[in-house]
Amino acid sequence: MTDLAGRHVVITGASTGIGRASATRCAQAGAAVTLIARRADLLEQAVADLRAERGARAAFAAADVADKAAVVGALDAAVAANGPIDGLFLNAGIGGTFAPVEDYPDDAFNAVMAVNLKGVLWAIQHVLPAMKQRGAGAILVTGSLASERGLPMNAGYVASKHAVLGLSRAVASEAAAFGVRCNCIIPGLIETPMLEGLPPEATSQMARAVPQGRTGTAAELAEVAAFLLSDAASHVTAQAWAVDGGMLGTMRV
């Protein structure tokens, strides 16, 4: 059973979708949680709900993860609110622009790398030293099917998601001797605001590509995220863990 009692888990991209579901699941498992995202209004409501529904120790810090100073400030605020960070779930991300490789705009490439890769690196650089000093900690990064497959028409997104998988493995290799783990979670087609914004016929078509015949829920992914952040996964590090209904093992591009 996933147990996060006495732990402090920080989650980015936590105002909606996977991030918010993961905050709820971690709080249910006993963790104090700090939510980070850009929109303070959504964060404030999410924290209020966690406190009301779960009696959770919950706090938030509004920050754009593409801004290094903002990331550092939000993480420092998290420590001030809930103590040392035991679990860090770096879930914030953007989708980038759809265009052929030769036409992919520089500004779009830079923007997706800033959020999906640099923001992850900056957060790890700021939190990892304290974890290593304490001899414990778990870091989880949200990847994508695009971490493992070369999908067409979105080179920036694919490059960024390949990069965060490599980064998580590099961190795992450096941190293992200090008792710190780092993994990459690979969502498939998960019911999030981004997916829900598509036409119903599009989501139905995509669902047919999933071996299980359906899209996944944010709560299903959150269950795995909480497990990977807990001591139940104490011998799991440097892994790409797919929550995708079987897509990654079977998909054809």
Side-chain angles (χ1 to χ4, degrees), residues 75-177:
L75 293 169
D76 287 344
V79 172
N82 281 322
I85 298 170
D86 302 294
L88 179 64
F89 184 14
L90 299 168
N91 169 69
I94 59 174
T97 296
F98 288 90
V101 172
E102 63 270 27
D103 297 327
Y104 205 91
D106 286 349
D107 58 348
F109 190 88
N110 292 336
V112 77
M113 284 293 184
V115 173
N116 292 1
L117 178 59
K118 288 184 178 180
V120 171
L121 174 64
W122 294 330
I124 292 172
Q125 286 176 325
H126 194 62
V127 171
L128 184 57
M131 286 184 171
K132 289 166 71 173
Q133 187 175 25
R134 293 196 308 276
I139 299 169
L140 183 62
V141 181
T142 296
S144 165
L145 298 175
S147 295
E148 299 269 17
R149 296 290 185 270
L151 307 179
M153 300 296 291
N154 199 340
Y157 181 76
V158 174
S160 72
K161 289 302 184 178
H162 267 63
V164 293
L165 175 54
L167 175 61
S168 69
R169 287 171 170 164
V171 171
S173 68
E174 291 185 26

Side-chain angles (χ1 to χ4, degrees), residues 64-80:
D64 182 348
V65 298
D67 180 335
K68 184 175 183 178
V71 171
V72 169
L75 293 169
D76 287 344
V79 172

Side-chain angles (χ1 to χ4, degrees), residues 200-216:
E201 60 272 18
T203 55
S204 296
Q205 182 178 2
M206 288 189 293
R208 289 195 292 272
V210 181
Q212 286 188 337
R214 64 175 180 86
T215 54

